[in-house]
Amino acid sequence: MKTALFFLLSLLAASSAEVFRPPAVPLIVFDPYMSMWSFGDKLTDAPIKQWFGRQVTTTGFIRIDGNPYQFMGYPSTTLDATHEPVGAPILSQTSVRVDPTTTTYTYEQDGVSLSLVFTTPLLHDDWDLLSKPISYVTFQVQSMDSDEHNVEIYFGMTGEIAVSDMEVPVDWNRYSIDDIDVLQIGKHNQHVVDNAGDRVGIDWGYAYLAVSQKSGPSITVIGNGPELNSAFVENGLNGLPRQDIADTPRKVNQNWPTLAVGLSLTARMRPEKQYILFAYDDLISINYFDTLLPPYWRRDGATPSDLIVESVSSYESIMSRCLAFDKKLMSDLTAAGGPKYASIAALSYRQVAGACKLTWHPTRKEAWYFMKEISSDGDLSTVDVIWPASPFYFYLSPKLLERMLVPLLVYSDQQVPVAYKYDQPFAPHHLGQWPIADIVQKDQEDMPVEETGNMLTLIYGVIQRTNDLSFLKPFWPLLQKWADYLEESALDPEDQLCTDDFEGPMPHNANLAAKGILGLAAYGRICGMAGNKTCADKYESMSKSYAHRWVDLSYDTGVDPPHSRLGYDQKNSWSLKYNVAYQRLLGLDTFPEDVIRSELAFYRTVEHAFGIPLDSRGDLTKLDFLTMMAVAGSDAEFEHFF
């Protein structure tokens, strides 16, 4: 039987290529707003963009013994002082590797090798570190021909990083903390948490580049991006100005104010490295029904200066921890599913973690964790988006998943201002649109059986692993209300939406019924862990009775192989029963094992070149649910479907 390791790739399907080629390579990714990716095979093949496609001009040049090359940024949009492409030759990139917390590019040119490493310490067992909005950019050079080579590196990032509109004025500043030079840029008029939506960037807070003089010789400057590009390409570090531009504030697209760092290294046989720290302080992360929630790292009054100093002083230890974590997890993933699986899971790690934000509730004095529904509606804490990502947290940090469920429980239990009152007998769909929780009941995208089954199975999955039910103390009447709803509605759902909402509502949905039945089973187990044997026995018996009735209602037995229908009343139909497969993750035996075996046997008869359609209505599918079905079978079935 597969473990939760197999579910780590819940957001991406397998590639058949021998060399793993991510559709987008993560560079600086630590929350939904600060998410920078390369959409090219090489770091110079395309502009650096945020996840939703907006460009964030980030440029890298290197001079090897005076010869300039570009290693980062799209050449046609990397402008010189005349606003024409700089035209520097492209450094020869030899590889790119994505690990759970690091992305490494390697280059070779003129007798020198360069390793460029982006590290974001997304370590889920350390909430302080996980919540820190930082990434390290490390440059390591080494001689390949036994000769010493003079190496100079330029790294620049425009004010695009701090605004969502290029016409918006930004301010910039610099300061020093001991031996650390700090550059800062942000929107001129700050209004925190005022830019909600899906494909939008952040519009408040401040971006920082910091470099420690202890790391090696360096130059920092805030200048006009095109002019800095020309200066470095033509004259190296000596060409960079020693004074910052002074005409602040200024629109971002007016000569592109840029934070820039220049580094000086010597390539010898022994590797030499320097690093730059990137940080982004969003000040306030979430507006939860009129309560402003700061990021978790700020809970005790920490400042950006504190963040930077601690991140610089901890560089070596954090890098060592990330290296050890990546090595161990990649080894475990490879042992569990093979090298292709491990590569995909590593990318999924960054995708899942980068969709979330850890905050601090100042009144309740506790951590709250939120997820954004990305590339859809931009919804905040969508329950049926959290559900397919849940195995990631079951394996890495079930306590964090608990912290993600609490804001939903509080809202569902009407512990929010009366203007936002939610009094439905079933669980809600979401809390608002990122980063503002302000949904009113009439605007909910109701998925009654879907979300109620999701919440109960998620809660059970958490407490099963933590053995801690204390967070449920205020919510027992709410959970019972949800169980009562499923008792009435789960076996044969009415005309309602499920997570496949793009297909529209449907009555008698067999897969949706399975979700509700598992919700009842999960509630029985929750009661059992709470010591309520009467309740546990009731829902254990009810869920198994419903499961057997489900088989009678849903199965086409006169076909070979037999399989369940899409809807109870739809002969010659079928759908992926990923909800049944989820029982494996919870250790439940609600549905007979024959159901999973017969479903997998049938899917072989309807699969396409790149997977199994979601159901018999068309060719659409979901990669997370394909994976759930693949891991529910034997090793041979996993190899076949994955």
Side-chain angles (χ1 to χ4, degrees):
M1 180 176 294
K2 306 297 187 296
T3 68
L5 282 172
F6 280 132
F7 285 80
L8 277 173
L9 40 50
S10 57
L11 297 184
L12 196 67
S15 166
S16 60
E18 289 300 318
V19 177
F20 182 57
R21 190 275 188 196
V25 178
L27 304 177
I28 294 173
V29 180
F30 48 69
D31 66 35
Y33 276 131
M34 206 45 54
S35 189
M36 296 170 59
W37 301 74
S38 170
F39 289 77
D41 290 343
K42 296 182 178 179
L43 201 47
T44 51
D45 281 352
I48 307 305
K49 297 181 179 181
Q50 293 184 311
W51 63 265
F52 56 88
R54 186 172 69 79
Q55 181 171 324
V56 180
T57 303
T58 309
T59 306
F61 294 104
I62 186 171
R63 285 171 61 96
I64 302 174
D65 298 325
N67 298 316
Y69 301 93
Q70 185 169 358
F71 64 82
M72 182 176 184
Y74 194 40
S76 66
T77 59
T78 304
L79 305 181
D80 62 17
T82 67
H83 288 256
E84 295 294 327
V86 171
I90 302 302
L91 195 68
S92 178
Q93 181 181 313
T94 55
S95 70
V96 58
R97 175 184 173 93
V98 176
D99 288 304
T101 67
T102 60
T103 296
T104 304
Y105 288 89
T106 60
Y107 306 82
E108 294 180 359
Q109 193 83 44
D110 296 350
V112 171
S113 68
L114 167 68
S115 292
L116 171 61
V117 183
F118 296 88
T119 303
T120 305
L122 299 169
L123 302 179
H124 289 75
D125 62 345
D126 184 339
W127 291 8
D128 283 300
L129 186 56
L130 176 69
S131 71
K132 289 179 179 177
I134 61 169
S135 288
Y136 300 103
V137 185
T138 303
F139 305 87
Q140 179 173 288
V141 298
Q142 186 174 11
S143 174
M144 299 171 59
D145 58 11
S146 301
D147 294 334
E148 288 192 1
H149 299 273
N150 178 57
V151 175
E152 296 179 333
I153 289 172
Y154 169 89
F155 182 88
M157 181 180 290
T158 72
E160 292 166 280
I161 192 66
V163 296
S164 62
D165 181 354
M166 299 307 101
E167 292 287 328
V168 169
V170 291
D171 289 311
W172 52 86
N173 189 25
R174 74 152 60 235
Y175 57 91
S176 296
I177 315 171
D178 299 327
D179 67 310
I180 305 170
D181 294 328
V182 181
L183 307 179
Q184 170 190 305
I185 197 165
K187 186 179 177 182
H188 176 57
N189 292 314
Q190 294 272 329
H191 301 283
V192 297
V193 201
D194 71 341
N195 197 27
D198 185 25
R199 297 177 178 272
V200 296
I202 197 166
D203 222 18
W204 66 93
Y206 296 92
Y208 298 86
L209 286 184
V211 61
S212 171
Q213 294 299 328
K214 291 181 181 178
S215 176
S218 62
I219 293 173
T220 57
V221 62
I222 305 173
N224 299 322
E227 295 173 7
L228 296 178
N229 294 338
S230 290
F232 182 82
V233 169
E234 294 172 5
N235 297 299
L237 296 183
N238 289 332
L240 293 177
R242 274 17 183 205
Q243 287 189 333
D244 299 336
I245 52 175
D247 53 337
T248 180
R250 189 213 294 170
K251 294 179 181 179
V252 170
N253 59 8
Q254 185 181 341
N255 289 322
W256 306 103
T258 296
L259 310 182
V261 176
L263 306 175
S264 177
L265 302 97
T266 301
R268 303 181 175 92
M269 294 300 293
R270 184 182 180 87
E272 183 174 310
K273 69 180 181 182
Q274 291 191 50
Y275 71 92
I276 298 168
L277 174 70
F278 171 81
Y280 200 100
D281 176 20
D282 63 0
L283 307 171
I284 296 294
S285 301
I286 297 289
N287 180 340
Y288 182 84
F289 299 104
D290 303 329
T291 297
L292 298 181
L293 308 185
Y296 182 79
W297 68 270
R298 269 182 168 271
R299 69 194 183 282
D300 294 325
T303 67
S305 293
D306 297 328
L307 173 72
I308 290 168
V309 168
E310 186 172 346
S311 299
V312 168
S313 64
S314 303
Y315 169 76
E316 293 292 348
S317 63
I318 289 174
M319 293 293 287
S320 295
R321 290 174 63 188
C322 288
L323 178 64
F325 175 81
D326 287 354
K327 183 178 180 181
K328 175 65 164 59
L329 182 56
M330 291 300 285
S331 175
D332 291 346
L333 292 167
T334 301
K340 291 181 181 178
Y341 165 77
S343 294
I344 293 167
L347 180 59
S348 287
Y349 189 100
R350 217 83 63 88
Q351 292 173 331
V352 176
C356 301
K357 187 76 175 183
L358 185 60
T359 70
W360 179 252
H361 196 295
T363 305
R364 292 175 175 265
K365 305 297 183 184
E366 60 184 10
W368 279 15
Y369 198 42
F370 296 90
M371 176 178 285
K372 180 174 184 178
E373 181 179 350
I374 287 177
S375 296
S376 181
D377 294 328
D379 288 344
L380 174 62
S381 292
T382 307
V383 178
D384 58 293
V385 174
I386 295 171
W387 188 81
S390 62
F392 178 93
Y393 292 101
F394 288 161
Y395 181 69
L396 290 163
S397 181
K399 202 69 177 176
L400 267 177
L401 183 54
E402 172 197 300
R403 297 292 90 201
M404 195 180 291
L405 298 180
V406 168
L408 287 156
L409 290 166
V410 169
Y411 168 70
S412 303
D413 202 41
Q414 304 178 31
Q415 299 180 35
V416 295
V418 66
Y420 307 108
K421 181 179 179 181
Y422 180 84
D423 61 1
Q424 296 281 28
F426 47 79
H429 176 262
H430 67 296
L431 296 176
Q433 196 173 45
W434 188 278
I436 302 174
D438 63 352
I439 190 78
V440 294
Q441 184 166 300
K442 68 180 181 62
D443 293 334
Q444 279 285 350
E445 185 182 358
D446 290 339
M447 299 181 184
V449 171
E450 174 73 40
E451 307 302 22
T452 308
N454 285 335
M455 285 297 292
L456 291 174
T457 52
L458 288 169
I459 290 168
Y460 177 56
V462 166
I463 65 173
Q464 183 185 45
R465 289 158 174 82
T466 64
N467 199 32
D468 180 4
L469 284 70
S470 59
F471 76 100
L472 295 176
K473 184 177 180 180
F475 305 116
W476 285 108
L478 175 67
L479 301 190
Q480 184 60 58
K481 180 172 70 172
W482 287 348
D484 291 343
Y485 172 78
L486 290 181
E487 182 176 357
E488 294 181 2
S489 305
L491 180 58
D492 190 6
E494 298 175 344
D495 190 21
Q496 59 182 251
L497 291 171
C498 69
T499 189
D500 308 322
D501 53 353
F502 48 83
E503 295 282 13
M506 190 185 88
H508 318 303
N509 185 327
N511 192 46
L512 181 58
K515 173 71 66 68
I517 293 168
L518 279 188
L520 289 168
Y523 183 62
R525 296 294 180 93
I526 294 168
C527 292
M529 290 187 67
N532 187 340
K533 186 176 186 302
T534 301
C535 176
D537 290 346
K538 173 184 175 179
Y539 288 99
E540 176 81 7
S541 174
M542 182 188 299
S543 61
K544 287 192 173 182
S545 172
Y546 280 14
H548 285 286
R549 291 173 64 188
W550 180 91
V551 172
D552 294 336
L553 288 167
S554 69
Y555 255 69
D556 273 331
T557 56
V559 295
D560 186 23
H563 61 85
S564 62
R565 299 169 178 170
L566 169 63
Y568 293 153
D569 57 343
Q570 298 181 29
K571 292 184 177 180
N572 301 315
S573 68
W574 54 270
S575 64
L576 282 176
K577 296 304 187 293
Y578 50 84
N579 287 330
V580 177
Y582 198 79
Q583 74 173 19
R584 289 285 184 83
L585 187 59
L586 299 179
L588 298 173
D589 58 356
T590 308
F591 290 88
E593 283 297 306
D594 287 348
V595 170
I596 293 176
R597 285 195 291 268
S598 65
E599 290 295 303
L600 289 171
F602 172 74
Y603 297 151
R604 287 177 179 259
T605 69
V606 294
E607 64 181 328
H608 293 188
F610 298 103
I612 309 161
L614 193 62
D615 57 51
S616 51
R617 289 175 288 190
D619 294 332
L620 295 173
T621 197
K622 287 186 175 181
L623 305 180
D624 45 2
F625 298 150
L626 281 176
T627 302
M628 286 189 180
M629 288 308 311
V631 303
S634 65
D635 288 346
E637 286 168 325
F638 172 77
E639 291 293 332
H640 175 82
F641 289 113
F642 185 75

